[in-house]
Amino acid sequence: MAKIVTKYVCQSCGYVSPRWVGKCPNCSEWNTFVEEAPSPLRVSRKPSSVASKLDPVPLEDIEKDDVPRLRTGIQEFDRVLGGGIVSGSLILLGGDPGIGKSTMMMQLALQLKDSVVLYITGEESARQIKLRAERLQAKTARNILLFAETNLDLILDVIERGTPDLIVIDSIQTMYRPGLESAPGSVSQVRESTALLLRLAKTRGVPIFLIGHVTKEGVIAGPRVIEHMVDTVLQFEGEAHYSYRVLRALKNRFGSTNEIGIFEMHDAGLREVRNPSEVFLSERRSGTSGSTVVASIEGSRPILLEVQALVTPTSYGMPQRNTTGVDYRRLSLLLAVLEKRVGLRLGTHDVFVNIAGGVKIDEPAVDLGIATSITSSLRDVPVDAGTVAVGEIGLGGEIRTIGQIEKRVQEASKLGFKRIIVPQNNAKGLKAKEIEVIPVDRIEKAMEALLS
Ligand code: TYD
Ligand code: MG
């Protein structure tokens, strides 16, 4: 008989060690190793009697029919997925607890009136799910089957007996296989459960959504080890105190990963935001200093956003720098450039920068907007309300070229803005209707154009 060898698995990254260790040599996390017995569930691969099934097929002979997709009717969701749910695909929906993952899945299920959706809940009771559905004003929900269970063997049994068109597992961290020693949510349970569901999705051709929780650091803990197994990784994110939610594809075997979907959480569920620019600018007050409108690109869509800055003299000790929605290090860099090239004295001031609406942007094209808002607040001179500013700022104070300029200009023009400040090199050959394009090459000139 083979000797049973236990192994130790890092619960953070899945690193396997023969001995217990305090600090993971792979991800440097402390106290993450858990003893795991080898899985007794490995299926032995007996050669099948149907030999033809095992023969490889020439690539040429494989039929290239378009992947059938199930449209959910939630446009923002379909777009992120690349045009709907591909049958037989395994999709991981990650996000912080309470962000709205279960709500999203329930709304999706309610939309798909003609498909049987099997909703497996391991976190909430069937009654809680029912209450949520009622809150979402579900009148007819005959297509949704609920099953409150965490034992995967029982779940598989139920799936085998029915013919669901879509399966939702809420959440993968609560599922377990009874044969495995480790607790639900551990790396080996999550991995084993996913492998099983993956096989099921592929053999039955039914799409399966796995809900997964994310830790503070923004990585899908536990489920991170299954990212490579699933076809699509969706991330649902948002700031706790704002109602906006952004859905992103971090990985997508059936579409691009550039698209985002924007939603707003209401009393009765998530509502699609089809015109994000208008929504994000709706609370803007013209005539206040420290506010600039920028044109950012999210996926393939331009979105106009308001960058706010507040610069005040430091009352005691160290000046504070605080950001919401933009990178802190980027702010430090821009402050240094403003000090050096524009001559602003910011060393004795607190600086707060915020993207209105709780949106996060990480593209450098918003640099100019941030710099302008800071300068505007320091001098207490408002930026012209009809102007949009885009451009990356280099360390030398030069305004650098950015991508997709036409889309940004178009969006600004569409929303009735009169002027747009763009990097000099972007202005060449740029066609613009009903909007004045002002090219700038240096940060000093941009400040002049915007704050005069
Ligand atoms: P939920 O979908 O349970 O989050 P997750 O599954 O990601 O943990 O959503 C929980 C939050 O959403 C909760 O704080 C209540 C809020 N919510 C609304 O604001 N409106 C609604 O219609 C629903 C169903 C939830
Ligand atoms: Mg939930």
Side-chain angles (χ1 to χ4, degrees), residues 143-163:
N143 65 317
I144 302 174
L145 298 173
L146 271 187
F147 189 45
E149 184 52 69
T150 52
N151 181 339
L152 256 183
D153 288 353
L154 297 179
I155 291 168
L156 287 191
D157 199 43
V158 162
I159 296 173
E160 294 288 315
R161 279 189 276 135
T163 49

Side-chain angles (χ1 to χ4, degrees), residues 95-104 107 119 123-124 132-133 135-136 170 211 213 236 245 265-270:
D96 287 315
I99 204 79
K101 300 180 295 297
S102 305
T103 308
M104 173 65 112
Q107 265 180 271
Y119 197 110
E123 270 176 19
E124 293 162 295
R132 179 181 291 118
R135 196 170 168 189
L136 300 173
D170 187 359
I211 291 180
H213 292 294
F236 206 33
R245 303 281 180 265
M265 184 63 99
H266 283 268
D267 291 344
L270 293 156

Side-chain angles (χ1 to χ4, degrees), residues 21-294:
V21 267
K23 185 184 178 189
C24 177
N26 187 41
C27 67
S28 306
E29 290 287 322
W30 285 92
N31 288 329
T32 51
F33 279 83
V34 167
E35 180 179 6
E36 283 177 8
S39 159
L41 298 168
R42 296 255 176 261
V43 208
S44 66
R45 278 197 141 275
K46 282 197 209 104
S48 158
S49 54
V50 196
S52 68
K53 270 201 180 157
L54 293 174
D55 286 339
V57 185
L59 185 60
E60 244 177 49
D61 295 352
I62 293 174
E63 283 176 41
K64 194 194 73 195
D65 50 2
D66 266 342
V67 272
R69 286 177 190 265
L70 183 63
R71 294 206 171 260
T72 63
I74 305 176
Q75 280 180 28
E76 295 287 301
F77 197 85
D78 285 345
R79 207 192 36 250
V80 174
L81 279 178
I85 306 166
V86 173
S87 53
S89 62
L90 190 63
I91 302 157
L92 174 66
L93 175 65
D96 287 315
I99 204 79
K101 300 180 295 297
S102 305
T103 308
M104 173 65 112
M105 283 296 114
M106 183 45 78
Q107 265 180 271
L108 195 92
L110 289 166
Q111 278 283 329
L112 296 166
K113 287 198 176 58
D114 302 325
S115 315
V116 178
V117 180
L118 178 60
Y119 197 110
I120 294 157
T121 167
E123 270 176 19
E124 293 162 295
S125 66
R127 175 168 293 182
Q128 278 171 303
I129 302 278
K130 166 89 177 165
L131 284 175
R132 179 181 291 118
E134 262 168 18
R135 196 170 168 189
L136 300 173
Q137 270 138 33
K139 291 196 187 68
T140 52
R142 301 203 63 84
N143 65 317
I144 302 174
L145 298 173
L146 271 187
F147 189 45
E149 184 52 69
T150 52
N151 181 339
L152 256 183
D153 288 353
L154 297 179
I155 291 168
L156 287 191
D157 199 43
V158 162
I159 296 173
E160 294 288 315
R161 279 189 276 135
T163 49
D165 300 308
L166 184 87
I167 299 170
V168 178
I169 307 279
D170 187 359
S171 65
I172 187 69
Q173 276 120 326
T174 55
M175 299 297 147
Y176 75 100
R177 297 207 65 187
L180 281 178
E181 292 287 311
S182 46
S186 66
V187 169
S188 61
Q189 282 285 8
V190 167
R191 205 178 341 195
E192 197 68 34
S193 306
T194 307
L196 210 70
L197 291 163
L198 177 70
R199 233 170 295 150
L200 188 82
K202 299 300 165 196
T203 50
R204 306 261 312 234
V206 49
I208 303 182
F209 278 94
L210 307 176
I211 291 180
H213 292 294
V214 167
T215 57
K216 289 187 290 300
E217 297 81 42
V219 290
I220 303 180
R224 199 178 56 174
V225 298
I226 57 167
E227 271 184 16
H228 67 282
M229 296 162 86
V230 300
D231 297 307
T232 303
V233 180
L234 300 179
Q235 171 92 342
F236 206 33
E237 53 194 43
E239 292 280 328
H241 304 293
Y242 291 94
S243 55
Y244 296 108
R245 303 281 180 265
V246 177
L247 185 73
R248 270 174 219 284
L250 302 182
K251 162 185 173 180
N252 195 353
R253 287 193 182 138
F254 306 108
S256 117
T257 51
N258 286 327
E259 296 296 344
I260 64 160
I262 302 176
F263 297 85
E264 200 178 353
M265 184 63 99
H266 283 268
D267 291 344
L270 293 156
R271 205 178 291 163
E272 293 179 66
V273 178
R274 303 243 178 98
N275 51 348
S277 299
E278 277 170 40
V279 175
F280 289 134
L281 294 183
S282 63
E283 283 175 66
R284 192 167 58 106
R285 304 251 317 265
S286 56
T288 337
S289 65
S291 153
T292 313
V293 177
V294 299

Side-chain angles (χ1 to χ4, degrees), residues 321 323 327-341 346 364 367 370-371 374 392-398 400 443:
R321 275 87 180 85
T323 60
D327 184 25
Y328 182 83
R329 278 164 304 180
R330 197 77 202 164
L331 173 65
S332 309
L333 186 150
L334 291 173
L335 289 176
V337 175
L338 281 170
E339 290 230 4
K340 183 96 180 167
R341 311 289 168 196
L346 292 157
D367 284 357
I370 299 172
I374 292 170
E392 178 181 344
I393 296 176
L395 290 183
E398 75 278 15
R400 307 174 67 103
I443 186 169

